[in-house]
Structure formats: structure tokens, C-alpha cells
Amino acid sequence: MTWRMALVGATGWLGRSIGPSLLRHGVVRAGMLTCVSRSGASPLYDAWPGVRWRSEVGPAEVVILSVRPQQFREADFDCSGALVLSLMAGVSCAEIAERTGARVVVRTMPNAAVEIERSYSPWFCPQVLGDQDRARVTAILTAIGTTDELAREADLDVITALSGAGPAWPALLAAALYEAGKAGGLSAEVAGHAAEAVVCAASDLLAGRVAQAGALVQEFIDYRGTTAAAMLAARAGGFDAAIAAGVAAGTAKARDLSS
């Protein structure tokens, strides 16, 4: 790609993975990438010595904002004429456009799986993107995983609480299974291996089939075996309701950030 890109927050939690991924996949050439970071150059970019390091955005066709909302609101980013791709929760397209002077604003919500290039990063834009802008957004987001276009900006608040949490939801389940295994008399090592087998291995069987997950649970329940007893007890204990409450609370928090 021959267009100029600026990555603001290039050494932060997401930026330190996104930048190298874009370079590895040829989405942007090293000489066309400006990394904006308060902490200076990072060794994570040493394989691309042509990358430029600055303390401000500078000229660019595409600007990726990978900073915290409060940092964005405290700083002054001049993105006049650029396509801005924001990774921030709770900062609307309208606010970003007003504060940056961007030509067009796209919001997305990646998660920590950018580290392994398996993030789900759906995006929203309040206007119809031209072919070139759409191609650029697609190239960036598919370099770090998968993506979808969202119909409403409010959907990003739900995404923030759901897939935006990254490994947090699996970690919550893994921790509960681990403790339950130890409570049942397993050693810490065996309980850890058992929980990992469920959360990290068996879950691969659901890839591409999550819409049918409810039916799969019902199959286990209908079999009326040990797994059915476990599933029914978990549901009776409020498992489904607790997950729904958690997603709702996370969504509400994301919406609070924009107020």
C-alpha cells in the first residue's frame, strides 16, 4: 500500500500489536507509517527501521486512534482531511470528527486477540464509505482478525462489553471451573489442565457454530447424563442471568463514557 498512515498510541496495549501486524501483512510500508507515542520508539518495530516516530500526527491519509478516551479528550489531534479509524470506547463519531477535523470517521472495537491476529473488530461509519476508504478499513481490520460492518453506532457499546472484553469472559469461566475442580478434590495442576481443556481446547468445536450453541446444550440436557445434571444446576444457579447482567453492565458503562 502506498498511502500514509499514522498510528497514535503505537506502543500502547493495542497499538503495539496492531502496528507490527499491519507492517507484516504489507497493509502499510514502513516508510509510510508514522508511529505516534509519548514513550518513544519501541523495539517491537525494530524489524522495520523505516518507520518514523513522532510526538504528533503529521500528514496522513489514514489515522488510527489507539488511545484511552481521556487521553484523546486531553490532547489536540489534527487529522484534517484524513480517514480516522478510532479504537476508543464511548467516544462518538461526531465527537471525533469535531475534535480532529477528520474527513470521515470509522469506529471499531478490537480486543486483546490482536496479539495473535484473531481479534473480532466490527466497525461503524455514519456515512457511506467510498470504495477506497472501505478497502483501507477492511485491509487494516483483516490484518488483525475478522470484521463486520455494524448498522448502528450504539451496537459498538454492546460489542465493547461482549467481544471487546477479549479473554476476560473465558478467564472468568476458567477461574470458576478451576476452583470447582479443586473443591472437588483435584490437585491444582490437574484442575488447571481440566479447565484449560474445556475453555481452550473443547471450545474449538464451537468455531463457526455459536448460533447453534443453545441447541448443543439442549442435546446434552436431553441425554440426561452427568453433563445434563451440571448444565441444569448451573442454569438453576443463575448462570444465564449472570452473563446477561454482566453484558448489560458493560454496555451501560460504555455508554456512560460518551456522556
Side-chain angles (χ1 to χ4, degrees), residues 23-114:
L23 290 161
R24 266 194 305 273
H25 289 281
V27 176
V28 63
R29 296 205 312 260
M32 304 297 282
L33 177 63
T34 296
C35 287
V36 182
S37 173
R38 294 180 301 179
S39 56
S42 165
L44 293 172
Y45 293 82
D46 283 352
W48 301 277
V51 170
R52 292 169 293 182
W53 292 86
R54 296 172 54 116
S55 58
E56 57 186 25
V57 173
E61 280 77 50
V62 177
V63 178
I64 301 175
L65 293 177
S66 181
V67 295
R68 294 178 179 273
Q70 58 267 35
Q71 292 172 327
F72 170 72
R73 288 170 173 146
E74 292 169 357
D76 181 18
F77 297 108
D78 182 3
C79 307
S80 301
L83 183 158
V84 167
L85 179 62
S86 167
L87 316 186
M88 298 181 291
V91 185
S92 70
C93 290
E95 180 179 351
I96 295 167
E98 181 179 356
R99 289 179 177 269
T100 65
R103 174 177 57 81
V104 60
V105 176
V106 175
R107 288 184 60 200
T108 187
M109 182 48 59
N111 61 40
V114 296

Side-chain angles (χ1 to χ4, degrees), residues 63-254:
V63 178
I64 301 175
L65 293 177
S66 181
V67 295
R68 294 178 179 273
Q70 58 267 35
Q71 292 172 327
F72 170 72
R73 288 170 173 146
E74 292 169 357
D76 181 18
F77 297 108
D78 182 3
C79 307
S80 301
L83 183 158
V84 167
L85 179 62
S86 167
L87 316 186
M88 298 181 291
V91 185
S92 70
C93 290
E95 180 179 351
I96 295 167
E98 181 179 356
R99 289 179 177 269
T100 65
R103 174 177 57 81
V104 60
V105 176
V106 175
R107 288 184 60 200
T108 187
M109 182 48 59
N111 61 40
V114 296
E115 294 181 14
I116 55 174
E117 296 181 353
R118 293 182 64 183
S119 173
Y120 176 56
S121 310
W123 59 273
F124 171 81
C125 181
Q127 62 196 77
V128 177
L129 285 181
D131 291 343
Q132 184 180 65
D133 287 338
R134 180 177 292 272
R136 287 172 172 175
V137 170
T138 300
I140 292 167
L141 298 182
T142 55
I144 58 172
T146 59
T147 187
D148 284 313
E149 182 177 2
L150 299 175
R152 306 179 307 159
E153 187 165 14
D155 292 343
L156 281 165
D157 296 326
V158 184
I159 289 295
T160 299
L162 193 56
S163 58
W169 287 112
L172 186 65
L173 176 59
L177 291 172
Y178 174 66
E179 294 299 331
K182 290 195 298 178
L186 297 179
S187 68
E189 181 180 14
V190 171
H193 289 163
E196 183 176 342
V198 172
V199 176
C200 302
S203 60
D204 280 352
L205 295 171
L206 290 173
R209 301 176 56 202
V210 169
Q212 289 79 48
L216 179 60
V217 170
Q218 191 59 49
E219 286 181 18
F220 282 111
I221 291 174
D222 291 343
Y223 189 73
R224 299 186 179 183
T226 57
T227 302
M231 298 295 100
L232 290 170
R235 281 186 161 174
F239 183 88
D240 292 0
I243 298 298
V247 173
T251 301
K253 179 66 174 180

